[in-house]
Amino acid sequence: MPFDLLSEPIRKYVRDKRWDQFRPIQVAAIKRIMTTDCNYILASRTASGKTEAAFLPILSKVNFNEEGVQVLYISPLIALINDQFLRVEELCRYLEISVTKWHSEANKSAKNKLLKAPNGIVLITPESIEAMLVNRAHEAKHLFSNLKYVVIDEIHSFIGTDRGIHLKSLLFRLQSINRSKFCIVGLSATIGDFNEAKVFTGEAENTTVLIDKTAKEINVVFKYFKESGAELSLELMKDLYRETFDNKTLIFPNSRGRAEEVAVKLKKISERIGGHPYYFSHHSSVDKEVREYVEDFAKNNRRNNFTIACTSTLELGIDIGSVDKVVQIDAAHSIASLIQRVGRSGRQGNKQSNLYLYATNNWSLLQSLAAWLLYTEGFIEPPAVMDKPYDILAHQILSVVRERSEIRLSDLVYVVKSDFAFQAISETEITEIINYLFETGMLEKLGREIIIGIEGEKIVNNRDFYSVFTAEQNFKVINEGSTIGELPFSPLIREDENIFLAARIWKIKLVDEKARKIFVVKALDGKRPMFYGGAGDVHPRIRTKMLEILKVDTQYDFLDAKGLDEINELRKDFSTFTIGDILYDRPIVEKIVRSKKEDEDLFVSEFCSFTGTKINRTIGLFLYIADVEYEVADYNSMFTISASIENLRDIFESITSDVDNTISRLLEDKPAILDFSKWGKLLPPKYQTILVRDKYYDIENTVEFLRNIQLVEPSTLD
DNA sequence: GACCTGCTGCGGGCTG
């Protein structure tokens, strides 16, 4: 019995909570964690008791009388730490274990208290671990050299990302200052590739994934509104209002600007007809305090209905309670993301989640439908795995040198070589990168020791050093002394322009460019703000599924009539292409255009690749190498290429995988191509090229795709 | 048309 395995104080906690039974993931975790010293990944949907599944057995098992912090909980978000702190602290009161928050906004005297007598549990972010290792290595050792368990929350948000590689390296570095081996427990929503989750602990063979696959039943409704303008039509907004006014709803419109538009427009409709005023927006550009107010409102009020228009800020595990409906406007970029969003709905006792998928154009409708069907087939995108993360390696080399103050070359190479985050990178490569860091003044030799160089000091001593991702430079938006949020500079940011922010309308009174501040007053009408930055890549499987939907004639009963008509219309357009092999048969149409300048006929091919964003980008690279002009739109995966079909066949057949020269030329012409990597600029040119090749492009899969592709022309029946 | 995440140490001013 799992209950009997737990320690007495924890059993008392369970009794006091009046839990009549454990959730499946808790049963599995208690049994395993209590009886073994293995690493575990607990995979189970949102709100299924994962935190308790990890902490009940860990708190039962670990002897907290020992000196030093015993359990380290790592979270991707400060907000999540603050949330979990309350839960974990309540649990720990039964054992008189202290719990300390350690992040930039955490109470400083609590941190100092911990430094005096390290013990108990610490909740921390990866960046705070990095900062501690860099600035106060001795304190890091003082606190964290006797860890028994490391719990990583929302581990799926790290897997397959730069931040994840960074965290892996930090885990390795924590392990190397520990007296004995600590165990890792990762908490995760259902993820696409459990193998990658196991590898994440650095000990795949000693890591077991415990999965609870029971999913909530999802009630899905598709709604189609053909939109032509830049703004959402009144018709759509009215329908959205009718669906949401008497519910607790989250709306995901895929962008910050559109989230503002939706929140403001719904609020206006509600005002006009005397509905409730609880319409909010929640995204990275809304001020933190305003966001906390919104989260708090959603969590703590039972009586009032509300609607929050948001971005992925409300996708992760911050506790906002549960909502009745989740609305997705146009296709989410991934299935994983869609499922996380749906997981926010379905209240306790009610087994169903409600998902409304609005589409505003035919391709978005098709993509949404494809994502939904793939989900019902059990497919979730696997994470993008980066074998040789040279940029994070360079960052960590600087960090390790700073941590040690001085270190011999052989020791440095040894440390980095042993780091499981960089397993696939060879010793020769590491040495080459270190040598380049000498050349550029990042590192310096002092006798036989290596220290941080003059150029390196500038980087390492900057606050920006602790993270591996970049942040946009914004203007603060201020009304009557209080900050509402932030906006990037755009043509709209001018005095007397009216803009939406935090679900309200503002008139800009003054722009202080030097202080990067925008002063605003309340207004009655305005425009949604402009933001820059891209969304995530779409996985090839989604695009293949889109083609498959066009090929069959299934009449989906969860689509509304307009949506079904639109799908059938698209099917008609594509019915002229005979697609046999879904993976490689791709539609193409050749047109002849009269060139204006040179007065001759030119061939233009319209080619639908039906593949992922990254492969489309790489096809673009190959066309660039072949010196062919083209345009590409990723949303419908369509290329317009200045070449005949015959010509294109030749190009696709003669594709080679040797593109390094082109990429290094590209890097010289347009260094901004490396902007996706914050620390890539530390690398020798050769490694920058490889980074762009492997991370920005997908050479291997594109070569395979193009070698196998069969270009299908329309049948000539008409 | 296009997401998100985090952050030291120190000094100055203010409050209790």
Side-chain angles (χ1 to χ4, degrees), chain A residues 413-439:
Chain A
V413 173
Y414 177 76
V415 168
V416 179
K417 183 72 196 102
S418 324
D419 190 332
F420 67 90
F422 311 118
Q423 222 167 26
I425 302 179
S426 73
E427 194 168 323
T428 320
E429 292 174 311
I430 292 170
T431 315
E432 269 183 43
I433 289 168
I434 292 176
N435 284 337
Y436 188 75
L437 292 171
F438 283 126
E439 277 172 42

PDB file of all heavy atoms in Angstrom, chain A residues 413-439:
ATOM      1  N   VAL A 413      39.271  21.432 -20.044  1.00  0.00           N
ATOM      2  CA  VAL A 413      38.854  20.515 -21.109  1.00  0.00           C
ATOM      3  C   VAL A 413      38.188  19.280 -20.503  1.00  0.00           C
ATOM      4  O   VAL A 413      37.138  18.829 -20.965  1.00  0.00           O
ATOM      5  CB  VAL A 413      40.049  20.100 -21.995  1.00  0.00           C
ATOM      6  CG1 VAL A 413      39.646  19.011 -22.985  1.00  0.00           C
ATOM      7  CG2 VAL A 413      40.608  21.305 -22.735  1.00  0.00           C
ATOM      8  N   TYR A 414      38.769  18.793 -19.425  1.00  0.00           N
ATOM      9  CA  TYR A 414      38.227  17.599 -18.776  1.00  0.00           C
ATOM     10  C   TYR A 414      36.807  17.845 -18.248  1.00  0.00           C
ATOM     11  O   TYR A 414      35.902  17.040 -18.463  1.00  0.00           O
ATOM     12  CB  TYR A 414      39.144  17.144 -17.637  1.00  0.00           C
ATOM     13  CG  TYR A 414      38.588  15.961 -16.888  1.00  0.00           C
ATOM     14  CD1 TYR A 414      38.654  14.673 -17.442  1.00  0.00           C
ATOM     15  CD2 TYR A 414      37.954  16.119 -15.659  1.00  0.00           C
ATOM     16  CE1 TYR A 414      38.113  13.587 -16.770  1.00  0.00           C
ATOM     17  CE2 TYR A 414      37.407  15.047 -14.985  1.00  0.00           C
ATOM     18  CZ  TYR A 414      37.490  13.784 -15.547  1.00  0.00           C
ATOM     19  OH  TYR A 414      36.941  12.708 -14.894  1.00  0.00           O
ATOM     20  N   VAL A 415      36.640  18.984 -17.576  1.00  0.00           N
ATOM     21  CA  VAL A 415      35.325  19.312 -17.007  1.00  0.00           C
ATOM     22  C   VAL A 415      34.270  19.387 -18.115  1.00  0.00           C
ATOM     23  O   VAL A 415      33.207  18.765 -18.024  1.00  0.00           O
ATOM     24  CB  VAL A 415      35.379  20.681 -16.256  1.00  0.00           C
ATOM     25  CG1 VAL A 415      33.962  21.155 -15.917  1.00  0.00           C
ATOM     26  CG2 VAL A 415      36.184  20.546 -14.985  1.00  0.00           C
ATOM     27  N   VAL A 416      34.589  20.126 -19.154  1.00  0.00           N
ATOM     28  CA  VAL A 416      33.613  20.327 -20.223  1.00  0.00           C
ATOM     29  C   VAL A 416      33.333  19.024 -20.968  1.00  0.00           C
ATOM     30  O   VAL A 416      32.204  18.717 -21.344  1.00  0.00           O
ATOM     31  CB  VAL A 416      34.086  21.432 -21.194  1.00  0.00           C
ATOM     32  CG1 VAL A 416      33.095  21.623 -22.310  1.00  0.00           C
ATOM     33  CG2 VAL A 416      34.287  22.735 -20.441  1.00  0.00           C
ATOM     34  N   LYS A 417      34.390  18.250 -21.142  1.00  0.00           N
ATOM     35  CA  LYS A 417      34.252  16.964 -21.846  1.00  0.00           C
ATOM     36  C   LYS A 417      33.356  16.013 -21.059  1.00  0.00           C
ATOM     37  O   LYS A 417      32.632  15.211 -21.636  1.00  0.00           O
ATOM     38  CB  LYS A 417      35.656  16.358 -22.058  1.00  0.00           C
ATOM     39  CG  LYS A 417      35.682  15.062 -22.834  1.00  0.00           C
ATOM     40  CD  LYS A 417      35.386  15.291 -24.323  1.00  0.00           C
ATOM     41  CE  LYS A 417      35.022  13.991 -25.039  1.00  0.00           C
ATOM     42  NZ  LYS A 417      33.572  13.857 -25.266  1.00  0.00           N
ATOM     43  N   SER A 418      33.417  16.084 -19.730  1.00  0.00           N
ATOM     44  CA  SER A 418      32.601  15.176 -18.909  1.00  0.00           C
ATOM     45  C   SER A 418      31.147  15.627 -18.806  1.00  0.00           C
ATOM     46  O   SER A 418      30.288  14.870 -18.382  1.00  0.00           O
ATOM     47  CB  SER A 418      33.156  15.098 -17.488  1.00  0.00           C
ATOM     48  OG  SER A 418      34.558  15.158 -17.482  1.00  0.00           O
ATOM     49  N   ASP A 419      30.875  16.881 -19.159  1.00  0.00           N
ATOM     50  CA  ASP A 419      29.536  17.442 -19.017  1.00  0.00           C
ATOM     51  C   ASP A 419      28.584  16.751 -20.011  1.00  0.00           C
ATOM     52  O   ASP A 419      28.769  16.840 -21.224  1.00  0.00           O
ATOM     53  CB  ASP A 419      29.620  18.954 -19.307  1.00  0.00           C
ATOM     54  CG  ASP A 419      28.333  19.687 -18.948  1.00  0.00           C
ATOM     55  OD1 ASP A 419      27.252  19.066 -18.989  1.00  0.00           O
ATOM     56  OD2 ASP A 419      28.423  20.886 -18.644  1.00  0.00           O
ATOM     57  N   PHE A 420      27.560  16.072 -19.485  1.00  0.00           N
ATOM     58  CA  PHE A 420      26.693  15.296 -20.384  1.00  0.00           C
ATOM     59  C   PHE A 420      25.858  16.163 -21.319  1.00  0.00           C
ATOM     60  O   PHE A 420      25.297  15.675 -22.298  1.00  0.00           O
ATOM     61  CB  PHE A 420      25.812  14.317 -19.600  1.00  0.00           C
ATOM     62  CG  PHE A 420      24.784  14.957 -18.713  1.00  0.00           C
ATOM     63  CD1 PHE A 420      23.520  15.249 -19.196  1.00  0.00           C
ATOM     64  CD2 PHE A 420      25.062  15.236 -17.382  1.00  0.00           C
ATOM     65  CE1 PHE A 420      22.551  15.822 -18.378  1.00  0.00           C
ATOM     66  CE2 PHE A 420      24.114  15.811 -16.560  1.00  0.00           C
ATOM     67  CZ  PHE A 420      22.859  16.112 -17.056  1.00  0.00           C
ATOM     68  N   ALA A 421      25.805  17.469 -21.042  1.00  0.00           N
ATOM     69  CA  ALA A 421      25.088  18.362 -21.966  1.00  0.00           C
ATOM     70  C   ALA A 421      25.829  18.485 -23.290  1.00  0.00           C
ATOM     71  O   ALA A 421      25.244  18.833 -24.309  1.00  0.00           O
ATOM     72  CB  ALA A 421      24.918  19.738 -21.326  1.00  0.00           C
ATOM     73  N   PHE A 422      27.144  18.192 -23.257  1.00  0.00           N
ATOM     74  CA  PHE A 422      27.980  18.370 -24.454  1.00  0.00           C
ATOM     75  C   PHE A 422      28.622  17.064 -24.903  1.00  0.00           C
ATOM     76  O   PHE A 422      29.691  17.069 -25.516  1.00  0.00           O
ATOM     77  CB  PHE A 422      29.049  19.437 -24.175  1.00  0.00           C
ATOM     78  CG  PHE A 422      28.492  20.689 -23.575  1.00  0.00           C
ATOM     79  CD1 PHE A 422      28.884  21.112 -22.313  1.00  0.00           C
ATOM     80  CD2 PHE A 422      27.532  21.429 -24.263  1.00  0.00           C
ATOM     81  CE1 PHE A 422      28.348  22.260 -21.749  1.00  0.00           C
ATOM     82  CE2 PHE A 422      26.984  22.577 -23.703  1.00  0.00           C
ATOM     83  CZ  PHE A 422      27.392  22.996 -22.440  1.00  0.00           C
ATOM     84  N   GLN A 423      27.952  15.981 -24.575  1.00  0.00           N
ATOM     85  CA  GLN A 423      28.446  14.639 -24.835  1.00  0.00           C
ATOM     86  C   GLN A 423      28.960  14.420 -26.258  1.00  0.00           C
ATOM     87  O   GLN A 423      29.978  13.778 -26.463  1.00  0.00           O
ATOM     88  CB  GLN A 423      27.291  13.667 -24.596  1.00  0.00           C
ATOM     89  CG  GLN A 423      27.683  12.425 -23.878  1.00  0.00           C
ATOM     90  CD  GLN A 423      26.430  11.698 -23.417  1.00  0.00           C
ATOM     91  OE1 GLN A 423      25.352  11.834 -24.014  1.00  0.00           O
ATOM     92  NE2 GLN A 423      26.567  10.934 -22.365  1.00  0.00           N
ATOM     93  N   ALA A 424      28.228  14.984 -27.231  1.00  0.00           N
ATOM     94  CA  ALA A 424      28.553  14.682 -28.626  1.00  0.00           C
ATOM     95  C   ALA A 424      29.670  15.571 -29.175  1.00  0.00           C
ATOM     96  O   ALA A 424      30.104  15.411 -30.310  1.00  0.00           O
ATOM     97  CB  ALA A 424      27.299  14.835 -29.495  1.00  0.00           C
ATOM     98  N   ILE A 425      30.124  16.525 -28.376  1.00  0.00           N
ATOM     99  CA  ILE A 425      31.166  17.426 -28.851  1.00  0.00           C
ATOM    100  C   ILE A 425      32.534  16.859 -28.477  1.00  0.00           C
ATOM    101  O   ILE A 425      32.768  16.496 -27.325  1.00  0.00           O
ATOM    102  CB  ILE A 425      30.961  18.847 -28.273  1.00  0.00           C
ATOM    103  CG1 ILE A 425      29.579  19.374 -28.681  1.00  0.00           C
ATOM    104  CG2 ILE A 425      32.063  19.789 -28.736  1.00  0.00           C
ATOM    105  CD1 ILE A 425      29.233  20.749 -28.153  1.00  0.00           C
ATOM    106  N   SER A 426      33.438  16.790 -29.488  1.00  0.00           N
ATOM    107  CA  SER A 426      34.714  16.115 -29.249  1.00  0.00           C
ATOM    108  C   SER A 426      35.726  17.015 -28.551  1.00  0.00           C
ATOM    109  O   SER A 426      35.565  18.237 -28.511  1.00  0.00           O
ATOM    110  CB  SER A 426      35.308  15.656 -30.584  1.00  0.00           C
ATOM    111  OG  SER A 426      35.792  16.784 -31.287  1.00  0.00           O
ATOM    112  N   GLU A 427      36.782  16.379 -28.046  1.00  0.00           N
ATOM    113  CA  GLU A 427      37.818  17.124 -27.346  1.00  0.00           C
ATOM    114  C   GLU A 427      38.504  18.127 -28.280  1.00  0.00           C
ATOM    115  O   GLU A 427      38.809  19.249 -27.886  1.00  0.00           O
ATOM    116  CB  GLU A 427      38.848  16.143 -26.775  1.00  0.00           C
ATOM    117  CG  GLU A 427      39.745  16.787 -25.778  1.00  0.00           C
ATOM    118  CD  GLU A 427      40.577  15.764 -25.004  1.00  0.00           C
ATOM    119  OE1 GLU A 427      40.060  14.667 -24.703  1.00  0.00           O
ATOM    120  OE2 GLU A 427      41.742  16.061 -24.729  1.00  0.00           O
ATOM    121  N   THR A 428      38.726  17.691 -29.535  1.00  0.00           N
ATOM    122  CA  THR A 428      39.348  18.600 -30.509  1.00  0.00           C
ATOM    123  C   THR A 428      38.487  19.841 -30.694  1.00  0.00           C
ATOM    124  O   THR A 428      38.997  20.963 -30.736  1.00  0.00           O
ATOM    125  CB  THR A 428      39.450  17.887 -31.885  1.00  0.00           C
ATOM    126  OG1 THR A 428      39.819  16.534 -31.656  1.00  0.00           O
ATOM    127  CG2 THR A 428      40.449  18.576 -32.775  1.00  0.00           C
ATOM    128  N   GLU A 429      37.194  19.627 -30.809  1.00  0.00           N
ATOM    129  CA  GLU A 429      36.293  20.769 -31.009  1.00  0.00           C
ATOM    130  C   GLU A 429      36.331  21.698 -29.801  1.00  0.00           C
ATOM    131  O   GLU A 429      36.382  22.926 -29.944  1.00  0.00           O
ATOM    132  CB  GLU A 429      34.859  20.268 -31.258  1.00  0.00           C
ATOM    133  CG  GLU A 429      34.700  19.544 -32.589  1.00  0.00           C
ATOM    134  CD  GLU A 429      33.327  18.911 -32.773  1.00  0.00           C
ATOM    135  OE1 GLU A 429      32.856  18.205 -31.844  1.00  0.00           O
ATOM    136  OE2 GLU A 429      32.724  19.118 -33.837  1.00  0.00           O
ATOM    137  N   ILE A 430      36.309  21.100 -28.608  1.00  0.00           N
ATOM    138  CA  ILE A 430      36.352  21.910 -27.379  1.00  0.00           C
ATOM    139  C   ILE A 430      37.629  22.748 -27.351  1.00  0.00           C
ATOM    140  O   ILE A 430      37.596  23.950 -27.081  1.00  0.00           O
ATOM    141  CB  ILE A 430      36.289  20.993 -26.127  1.00  0.00           C
ATOM    142  CG1 ILE A 430      34.903  20.336 -26.039  1.00  0.00           C
ATOM    143  CG2 ILE A 430      36.587  21.778 -24.854  1.00  0.00           C
ATOM    144  CD1 ILE A 430      34.792  19.236 -24.988  1.00  0.00           C
ATOM    145  N   THR A 431      38.769  22.107 -27.689  1.00  0.00           N
ATOM    146  CA  THR A 431      40.046  22.818 -27.674  1.00  0.00           C
ATOM    147  C   THR A 431      40.047  23.961 -28.687  1.00  0.00           C
ATOM    148  O   THR A 431      40.524  25.058 -28.391  1.00  0.00           O
ATOM    149  CB  THR A 431      41.200  21.841 -27.985  1.00  0.00           C
ATOM    150  OG1 THR A 431      40.985  20.655 -27.215  1.00  0.00           O
ATOM    151  CG2 THR A 431      42.535  22.433 -27.601  1.00  0.00           C
ATOM    152  N   GLU A 432      39.507  23.695 -29.871  1.00  0.00           N
ATOM    153  CA  GLU A 432      39.448  24.759 -30.883  1.00  0.00           C
ATOM    154  C   GLU A 432      38.637  25.950 -30.412  1.00  0.00           C
ATOM    155  O   GLU A 432      39.020  27.109 -30.630  1.00  0.00           O
ATOM    156  CB  GLU A 432      38.815  24.211 -32.175  1.00  0.00           C
ATOM    157  CG  GLU A 432      39.834  23.643 -33.146  1.00  0.00           C
ATOM    158  CD  GLU A 432      39.184  23.171 -34.448  1.00  0.00           C
ATOM    159  OE1 GLU A 432      38.316  23.884 -34.988  1.00  0.00           O
ATOM    160  OE2 GLU A 432      39.550  22.078 -34.899  1.00  0.00           O
ATOM    161  N   ILE A 433      37.540  25.662 -29.746  1.00  0.00           N
ATOM    162  CA  ILE A 433      36.684  26.754 -29.264  1.00  0.00           C
ATOM    163  C   ILE A 433      37.376  27.516 -28.129  1.00  0.00           C
ATOM    164  O   ILE A 433      37.355  28.751 -28.095  1.00  0.00           O
ATOM    165  CB  ILE A 433      35.300  26.207 -28.850  1.00  0.00           C
ATOM    166  CG1 ILE A 433      34.534  25.790 -30.112  1.00  0.00           C
ATOM    167  CG2 ILE A 433      34.494  27.247 -28.067  1.00  0.00           C
ATOM    168  CD1 ILE A 433      33.282  24.986 -29.880  1.00  0.00           C
ATOM    169  N   ILE A 434      38.042  26.789 -27.245  1.00  0.00           N
ATOM    170  CA  ILE A 434      38.782  27.472 -26.165  1.00  0.00           C
ATOM    171  C   ILE A 434      39.882  28.364 -26.764  1.00  0.00           C
ATOM    172  O   ILE A 434      40.051  29.515 -26.353  1.00  0.00           O
ATOM    173  CB  ILE A 434      39.392  26.446 -25.178  1.00  0.00           C
ATOM    174  CG1 ILE A 434      38.269  25.742 -24.400  1.00  0.00           C
ATOM    175  CG2 ILE A 434      40.350  27.141 -24.201  1.00  0.00           C
ATOM    176  CD1 ILE A 434      38.731  24.637 -23.470  1.00  0.00           C
ATOM    177  N   ASN A 435      40.604  27.832 -27.760  1.00  0.00           N
ATOM    178  CA  ASN A 435      41.652  28.635 -28.387  1.00  0.00           C
ATOM    179  C   ASN A 435      41.106  29.925 -28.991  1.00  0.00           C
ATOM    180  O   ASN A 435      41.729  30.975 -28.909  1.00  0.00           O
ATOM    181  CB  ASN A 435      42.375  27.828 -29.471  1.00  0.00           C
ATOM    182  CG  ASN A 435      43.328  26.827 -28.845  1.00  0.00           C
ATOM    183  OD1 ASN A 435      43.766  27.012 -27.693  1.00  0.00           O
ATOM    184  ND2 ASN A 435      43.634  25.750 -29.562  1.00  0.00           N
ATOM    185  N   TYR A 436      39.936  29.819 -29.602  1.00  0.00           N
ATOM    186  CA  TYR A 436      39.330  31.012 -30.186  1.00  0.00           C
ATOM    187  C   TYR A 436      38.944  32.014 -29.090  1.00  0.00           C
ATOM    188  O   TYR A 436      39.049  33.221 -29.280  1.00  0.00           O
ATOM    189  CB  TYR A 436      38.098  30.619 -31.007  1.00  0.00           C
ATOM    190  CG  TYR A 436      37.517  31.764 -31.800  1.00  0.00           C
ATOM    191  CD1 TYR A 436      38.141  32.209 -32.957  1.00  0.00           C
ATOM    192  CD2 TYR A 436      36.345  32.396 -31.388  1.00  0.00           C
ATOM    193  CE1 TYR A 436      37.608  33.274 -33.686  1.00  0.00           C
ATOM    194  CE2 TYR A 436      35.808  33.449 -32.105  1.00  0.00           C
ATOM    195  CZ  TYR A 436      36.444  33.881 -33.256  1.00  0.00           C
ATOM    196  OH  TYR A 436      35.920  34.930 -33.976  1.00  0.00           O
ATOM    197  N   LEU A 437      38.532  31.489 -27.940  1.00  0.00           N
ATOM    198  CA  LEU A 437      38.180  32.381 -26.826  1.00  0.00           C
ATOM    199  C   LEU A 437      39.429  33.114 -26.315  1.00  0.00           C
ATOM    200  O   LEU A 437      39.349  34.252 -25.849  1.00  0.00           O
ATOM    201  CB  LEU A 437      37.499  31.598 -25.699  1.00  0.00           C
ATOM    202  CG  LEU A 437      36.100  31.055 -26.036  1.00  0.00           C
ATOM    203  CD1 LEU A 437      35.591  30.113 -24.940  1.00  0.00           C
ATOM    204  CD2 LEU A 437      35.088  32.184 -26.260  1.00  0.00           C
ATOM    205  N   PHE A 438      40.610  32.465 -26.447  1.00  0.00           N
ATOM    206  CA  PHE A 438      41.873  33.167 -26.142  1.00  0.00           C
ATOM    207  C   PHE A 438      42.099  34.281 -27.152  1.00  0.00           C
ATOM    208  O   PHE A 438      42.382  35.416 -26.794  1.00  0.00           O
ATOM    209  CB  PHE A 438      43.072  32.212 -26.213  1.00  0.00           C
ATOM    210  CG  PHE A 438      43.196  31.319 -25.010  1.00  0.00           C
ATOM    211  CD1 PHE A 438      43.282  29.939 -25.146  1.00  0.00           C
ATOM    212  CD2 PHE A 438      43.255  31.859 -23.734  1.00  0.00           C
ATOM    213  CE1 PHE A 438      43.398  29.114 -24.050  1.00  0.00           C
ATOM    214  CE2 PHE A 438      43.376  31.041 -22.616  1.00  0.00           C
ATOM    215  CZ  PHE A 438      43.442  29.660 -22.777  1.00  0.00           C
ATOM    216  N   GLU A 439      41.962  33.924 -28.451  1.00  0.00           N
ATOM    217  CA  GLU A 439      42.218  34.889 -29.526  1.00  0.00           C
ATOM    218  C   GLU A 439      41.355  36.136 -29.397  1.00  0.00           C
ATOM    219  O   GLU A 439      41.790  37.244 -29.710  1.00  0.00           O
ATOM    220  CB  GLU A 439      41.888  34.256 -30.892  1.00  0.00           C
ATOM    221  CG  GLU A 439      42.996  33.404 -31.466  1.00  0.00           C
ATOM    222  CD  GLU A 439      42.495  32.670 -32.704  1.00  0.00           C
ATOM    223  OE1 GLU A 439      41.784  33.295 -33.519  1.00  0.00           O
ATOM    224  OE2 GLU A 439      42.790  31.454 -32.832  1.00  0.00           O
TER     225      GLU A 439
END
